């Protein structure tokens, strides 16, 4: 016998079946398309933004993330369950398409049947397994959502409706298959290739053929109605992310990662800067709200949320969507609240973990820009003072710019004003220039370079703050003023390579300054020294010690530099015990986003929570690679009462102690 089956068994393949089936299906698809066209009007309220460049790369990225569920699988547990459910449901969808292709096209018009023989046997087995996996995973996700109820996971009525409808569609599909097998396949070798359907068939077999046929016919039409309803209501529920999240992979920001768009501060036609209303944001910012799956992964990773601040990246994105659809003229800062906007450390943990490629950070910066540039508001007087100091003296401390290079006295380093014949320009940054604790890192770096035979120059009094804290706080004007002065000095001295010990300076000079005309090789000192070590220029003696290491946000998540610092630690003899949150999941120190300039008055201190994570490893030393991190950890260790149990050091200090 040839292994196959009658596709429209018991319901008929005539007009009485096909006409209503296709009318219902096309109506549902029409409703879906019309509803999304209506929603597109909401997106169009936003400013223009080109996200169709490099289309082949975008399409490849979308296919990879959709079919392989790469982003979803970043989180174990619910991520794996969602991916398995998707794959199961997707296989069922493909199987249904093949059935319709044969029954209503190839067989109907050309007499060609491909669902037969060995192919049909494996087709039946794979669809049964896929359906079973989809049901198990969906039940697991329902239990998690409605019984386990993880903190922060919000449940809405349409969540229950869509999850319930999906489960009924899957279960009714197996009941339909079981009814057919009970009449046509029980006792034949074919039945074994549909194991779940066979199990259902055995349960129905005792009803008798007439009753099973009636059950099959009624369930077939009910199944069709449920599928049609499901398709039609997708745009009106959270499950619109089936389409919008997939599209978001196509529309993703192709980099460089973490780059902040540069405002044209000379635009005389601009009525305002930053985002005061939803119409000031890009259409992609609005679209992101529809792509959000409300999975709360961003919220779970947010250091502000974890320390009782009012900021939830998930809720912020959802609020922007509500404003766009319900009240487009609303003031964003008042709707979202200023405490929420100022709480962000721009650590990027939300974006890195987001399975929908939503861009949280720049939305916040855009709203901050409007508060600062148009309203003159800052989160506190201390920030206002730091801004004024930077504008006058080129540093947030208000110290004399002429003393910026005093830390280097007696060290083998020159200012470019004295001698521009150097191998690299060391962009020192404000903290290493003026803060006594961080000056030790600058001195250690110079000693390491000298030991490796590298001639280092600095700008000294001609260097200004890179402007990054000011920019992330929303003061784009002050940032561009500082950046332009620095770039002018780089060009004046013919600088070709810059090294920084500050990840914030590194990220800003390497990415953001390029919009303002800088095109130089910029390196963070961890990669620079790791390269010298590999080439044999830098000799480090291994002296065993125990430590834990903090991946700073702007070196790790912003620039994917994780291995170079660990290579240096290994060379120094470190026994490294990783914290519970490390690598791409590292927990912020609290200084990013300009928060280094601001007091932390809401909730518990982020730096204390991170210091406690370090202490929990049992290691006596917390190693960092960033002056902001080191500063926050010094305070965090004291605040968490960990003095004597934990000390904070920079990687450069460890290395200089072990110079051969």
């Amino acid at each position: 016998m040839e292994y196959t089956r009658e596709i429209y068994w018991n319901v008929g393949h005539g007009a009485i079946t096909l006409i209503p089936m296709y009318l219902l299906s096309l109506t549902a698809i029409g409703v879906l398309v019309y509803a999304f066209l209506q929603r597109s009007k909401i997106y169009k309220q936003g400013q223009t933004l080109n996200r169709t460049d490099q289309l082949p790369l975008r399409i490849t990225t979308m296919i990879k993330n959709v079919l392989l569920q790469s982003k979803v699988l970043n989180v174990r547990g619910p991520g794996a369950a969602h991916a398995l459910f998707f794959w199961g449901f997707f296989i069922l969808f493909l199987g249904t398409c093949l059935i319709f292709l044969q029954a209503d096209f190839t067989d109907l018009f050309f007499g060609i049947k491909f669902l037969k023989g060995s192919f049909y046997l494996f087709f039946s087995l794979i669809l049964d397994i896929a359906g079973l996996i989809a049901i198990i995973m969906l039940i697991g996700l329902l239990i998690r959502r409605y019984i386990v109820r993880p903190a922060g996971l919000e449940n809405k009525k349409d969540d229950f409706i869509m999850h319930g409808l999906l489960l009924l569609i899957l279960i009714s599909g197996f009941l339909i298959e079981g009814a057919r097998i009970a009449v046509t396949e029980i006792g034949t070798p074919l039945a074994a290739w549909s194991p779940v359907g066979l199990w259902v068939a055995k349960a129905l077999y005792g009803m008798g053929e007439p009753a099973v046929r009636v059950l099959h016919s009624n369930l077939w039409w009910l199944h069709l109605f449920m599928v049609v309803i499901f398709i039609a209501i997708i745009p009106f529920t959270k499950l619109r992310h089936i389409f919008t999240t997939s599209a978001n992979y196509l529309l993703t920001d192709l980099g460089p990662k973490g780059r902040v768009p540069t405002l044209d501060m000379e635009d005389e036609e601009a009525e305002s800067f930053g985002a005061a209303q939803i119409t000031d944001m890009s259409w992609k910012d609005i679209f992101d709200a529809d792509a959000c799956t409300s999975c709360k992964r961003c919220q779970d990773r947010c250091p502000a949320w974890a320390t009782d601040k009012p900021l939830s990246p998930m809720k912020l994105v959802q609020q922007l969507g509500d404003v766009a659809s319900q009240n487009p003229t609303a003031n964003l800062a008042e709707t979202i609240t200023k405490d929420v906007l100022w709480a962000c450390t721009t650590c990027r943990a939300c974006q890195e973990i987001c399975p929908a490629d939503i861009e949280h950070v720049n939305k916040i910066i855009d709203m901050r820009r409007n508060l600062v540039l148009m309203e003159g508001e800052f989160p506190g007087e201390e920030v206002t003072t730091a801004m004024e100091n930077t504008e006058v003296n080129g540093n947030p401390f208000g110290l004399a710019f002429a003393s910026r290079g005093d830390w280097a006295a007696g060290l083998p380093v020159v200012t470019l004003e004295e001698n521009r014949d150097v191998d690299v320009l060391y962009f020192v940054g404000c903290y290493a220039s003026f803060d006594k604790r961080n000056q030790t890192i600058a001195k250690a770096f110079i000693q390491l370079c000298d030991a490796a035979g590298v001639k280092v120059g600095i700008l000294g009094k001609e260097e200004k703050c890179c402007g990054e804290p000011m920019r992330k706080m929303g003061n784009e004007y002050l940032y561009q003023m500082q950046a332009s002065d620095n770039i002018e000095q780089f060009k004046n001295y013919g600088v070709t390579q810059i090294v920084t010990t500050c990840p914030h300076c590194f990220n800003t000079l390497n990415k953001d300054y390029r919009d303002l005309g800088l095109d130089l090789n910029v390196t963070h000192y961890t990669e620079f020294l790791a390269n010298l070590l590999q080439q044999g220029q830098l000799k480090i003696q291994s002296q065993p010690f125990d430590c834990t290491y903090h991946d700073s946000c702007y070196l790790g998540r912003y620039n994917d530099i994780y291995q170079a610092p660990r290579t240096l630690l290994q060379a120094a003899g470190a026994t490294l015990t990783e914290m519970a949150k490390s690598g791409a999941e590292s927990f912020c120190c609290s200084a990013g986003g300009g928060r280094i300039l601001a007091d932390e008055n809401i909730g518990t201190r982020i730096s204390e929570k991170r210091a406690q994570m370090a202490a929990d490893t049992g290691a006596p030393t917390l190693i960092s690679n960033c002056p902001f991190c080191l500063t926050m950890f010094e305070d965090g260790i004291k605040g968490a009462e960990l003095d004597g149990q934990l000390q904070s050091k920079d990687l450069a200090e460890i290395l200089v102690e072990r110079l051969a």
Side-chain angles (χ1 to χ4, degrees):
M1 62 177 289
E2 183 177 55
Y3 294 121
T4 189
R5 70 174 173 87
E6 181 185 347
I7 291 178
Y8 283 98
W9 177 83
N10 197 46
V11 293
H13 194 202
I16 196 169
T17 299
L18 294 181
I19 291 175
M21 182 184 74
Y22 277 101
L23 279 176
L24 287 170
S25 301
L26 291 172
T27 299
I29 294 171
V31 170
L32 181 141
V33 171
Y34 176 77
F36 271 118
L37 288 174
Q38 292 299 109
R39 292 204 68 80
S40 70
K41 296 178 181 178
I42 298 174
Y43 314 145
K44 290 177 181 177
Q45 296 175 96
Q47 300 292 311
T48 59
L49 180 69
N50 181 18
R51 286 295 173 87
T52 57
D53 58 314
Q54 304 182 59
L55 204 54
L57 175 59
R58 292 184 178 279
I59 293 171
T60 302
T61 301
M62 179 183 69
I63 292 173
K64 182 190 75 171
N65 283 322
V66 172
L67 296 186
L68 300 183
Q69 294 282 280
S70 307
K71 293 272 187 177
V72 173
L73 286 168
N74 279 342
V75 174
R76 294 174 292 277
H82 185 283
L84 286 168
F85 169 75
F86 168 81
W87 289 325
F89 200 83
F90 184 67
I91 289 171
L92 290 176
F93 171 74
L94 291 180
T96 303
C97 290
L98 289 176
I99 289 170
F100 279 116
L101 179 64
Q102 174 179 295
D104 299 335
F105 185 69
T106 63
D107 186 24
L108 184 64
F109 295 107
F110 306 106
I112 298 174
K113 295 182 179 179
F114 51 83
L115 295 176
K116 61 182 181 179
S118 298
F119 177 75
Y120 176 70
L121 294 180
F122 285 106
F123 174 84
S124 298
L125 179 62
I126 290 170
L127 259 63
D128 253 40
I129 294 172
L132 180 61
I133 289 173
I135 288 176
I136 293 172
M137 293 302 109
L138 187 57
I139 291 173
L141 291 169
L142 282 166
I143 290 172
R144 175 178 179 267
R145 178 172 287 274
Y146 294 104
I147 297 177
V148 177
R149 299 176 69 89
L153 187 64
E154 298 179 343
N155 292 316
K156 298 180 180 179
K157 183 171 68 175
D158 69 284
D159 293 325
F160 182 78
I161 292 172
M162 296 303 279
H163 278 79
L165 193 54
L166 275 169
L167 188 60
L168 288 173
I169 289 170
L170 290 166
I171 292 173
S172 65
F174 276 120
L175 288 172
I176 292 165
E177 181 187 45
R180 176 183 59 77
I181 292 173
V183 175
T184 63
E185 293 180 10
I186 279 190
T188 70
L190 188 59
W193 291 85
S194 301
V196 183
L198 178 59
W199 179 76
V200 176
K202 289 178 178 178
L204 299 176
Y205 189 70
M207 292 175 59
E209 182 175 332
V212 172
R213 282 181 174 272
V214 171
L215 177 66
H216 175 275
S217 178
N218 290 336
L219 282 175
W220 194 93
W221 284 106
L222 177 62
H223 180 82
L224 175 65
F225 279 122
M226 288 192 293
V227 170
V228 164
I229 291 170
F230 176 78
I231 293 171
I233 65 176
I234 283 175
F236 307 100
T237 70
K238 190 180 72 179
L239 280 189
R240 68 173 72 98
H241 79 259
I242 294 171
F243 295 96
T244 52
T245 298
S246 300
N248 232 22
Y249 296 140
L250 181 75
L251 303 170
T252 189
D253 183 359
L254 295 179
K257 188 197 286 190
R259 174 183 166 274
V260 179
T262 300
L263 295 182
D264 181 4
M265 302 304 298
E266 303 298 323
D267 185 2
E268 296 180 357
E269 296 183 4
E271 296 181 2
S272 67
F273 295 105
Q277 297 181 336
I278 200 69
T279 52
D280 297 323
M281 294 194 137
S282 74
W283 63 265
K284 175 63 165 56
D285 289 323
I286 301 172
F287 185 83
D288 274 351
D290 268 7
C292 178
T293 65
S294 301
C295 68
K296 80 179 185 72
R297 293 184 189 182
C298 59
Q299 180 176 285
D300 289 344
R301 294 300 189 280
C302 179
W305 181 263
T307 52
D308 305 314
K309 315 290 191 294
L311 169 62
S312 161
M314 176 184 72
K315 292 178 181 178
L316 181 143
V317 169
Q318 292 171 346
Q319 281 180 298
L320 291 175
D322 292 340
V323 169
S325 59
Q326 299 169 20
N327 188 14
T329 60
N331 182 278
L332 295 179
E334 293 177 2
T335 302
I336 291 168
T337 75
K338 295 170 186 177
D339 282 342
V340 166
L341 295 180
W342 294 127
C344 180
T345 67
T346 67
C347 71
R348 200 180 160 84
C350 51
Q351 286 187 218
E352 287 294 288
I353 199 64
C354 179
D357 262 3
I358 290 168
E359 298 157 26
H360 309 76
V361 175
N362 283 353
K363 294 175 175 54
I364 293 172
I365 292 175
D366 243 5
M367 288 182 274
R368 285 181 174 183
R369 281 170 163 173
N370 187 263
L371 284 175
V372 171
L373 298 174
M374 306 310 298
E375 306 296 331
E377 289 196 38
F378 292 102
E381 287 299 320
E382 72 282 3
V383 180
T384 305
T385 301
M387 296 287 177
E388 292 171 350
N389 288 338
T390 304
E391 188 167 1
V392 175
N393 290 306
N395 68 83
F397 306 108
L399 298 173
F401 65 85
S403 65
R404 195 174 183 101
D406 289 356
W407 63 271
L411 291 173
V413 60
V414 297
T415 64
L416 296 191
E417 185 179 27
E418 297 168 334
N419 183 3
R420 65 179 66 187
D421 182 23
V422 296
D423 297 318
V424 297
L425 168 67
Y426 173 31
F427 190 88
V428 186
C430 298
Y431 273 75
S433 294
F434 294 108
D435 178 67
K436 288 185 178 180
R437 177 66 184 89
N438 278 285
Q439 284 175 351
T440 61
I441 287 85
K443 293 175 181 179
F445 176 68
I446 296 300
Q447 290 175 269
L448 290 164
C449 288
D450 183 57
V454 176
K455 293 189 293 184
V456 180
I458 60 174
L459 289 174
K461 64 183 180 182
E462 295 179 298
E463 179 185 293
K464 289 188 175 181
C465 177
C466 71
E468 190 269 351
M470 297 76 206
R471 186 180 212 202
K472 296 297 166 60
M473 267 290 170
N475 197 341
E476 179 75 9
Y477 172 79
L478 183 54
Y479 154 72
Q480 289 193 24
M481 187 169 72
Q482 302 297 302
S484 297
D485 287 347
N486 284 325
I487 291 171
E488 183 180 356
Q489 295 302 332
F490 300 153
K491 292 181 177 179
N492 285 344
Y493 289 114
V495 174
T496 57
Q497 183 173 6
I498 300 174
V499 180
T500 76
T501 46
C502 174
H504 296 263
C505 295
F506 165 61
N507 188 74
T508 303
L509 269 62
N510 192 42
K511 296 175 183 175
D512 296 339
Y513 272 30
R514 296 189 186 278
D515 282 354
L516 301 175
L518 183 68
D519 187 17
L520 296 178
N521 180 21
V522 184
T523 311
H524 186 259
Y525 85 97
T526 53
E527 286 201 314
F528 183 72
L529 295 179
N531 187 49
L532 292 177
L533 182 72
Q534 183 182 13
Q535 293 175 351
Q537 288 180 250
L538 180 63
K539 306 292 185 181
I540 299 295
Q541 293 178 336
S542 178
Q543 299 174 13
F545 70 105
D546 296 322
C547 69
T548 189
Y549 170 71
H550 169 74
D551 289 283
S552 64
C553 304
Y554 275 76
L555 195 65
R557 278 187 291 268
Y558 273 79
N559 289 284
D560 298 314
I561 298 175
Y562 299 107
Q563 190 52 49
R566 288 172 171 81
T567 298
L568 292 168
L569 283 171
Q570 184 180 18
T575 297
L576 177 61
T577 304
E578 298 284 8
M579 285 181 267
K581 292 182 180 293
S582 62
E585 295 186 15
S586 180
F587 194 81
C588 183
C589 74
S590 80
R595 295 293 315 175
I596 187 73
L597 308 176
D599 294 335
E600 194 172 350
N601 298 318
I602 301 176
T604 56
R605 290 185 178 273
I606 296 172
S607 60
E608 292 178 14
K609 190 176 182 70
R610 186 55 167 170
Q612 188 60 58
M613 291 180 190
D616 289 343
T617 67
T621 306
L622 169 58
I623 308 295
S624 58
N625 56 53
C626 170
F628 289 7
C629 295
L630 183 65
T631 301
M632 302 315 295
F633 293 150
E634 296 275 302
D635 293 339
I637 290 170
K638 292 176 184 176
E641 299 181 350
L642 295 170
D643 284 318
Q645 180 181 347
L646 184 68
Q647 65 171 333
S648 179
K649 281 192 154 187
D650 189 273
L651 179 54
E653 295 178 291
I654 297 294
L655 296 175
V656 81
E657 292 169 359
R658 289 160 174 77
L659 274 176

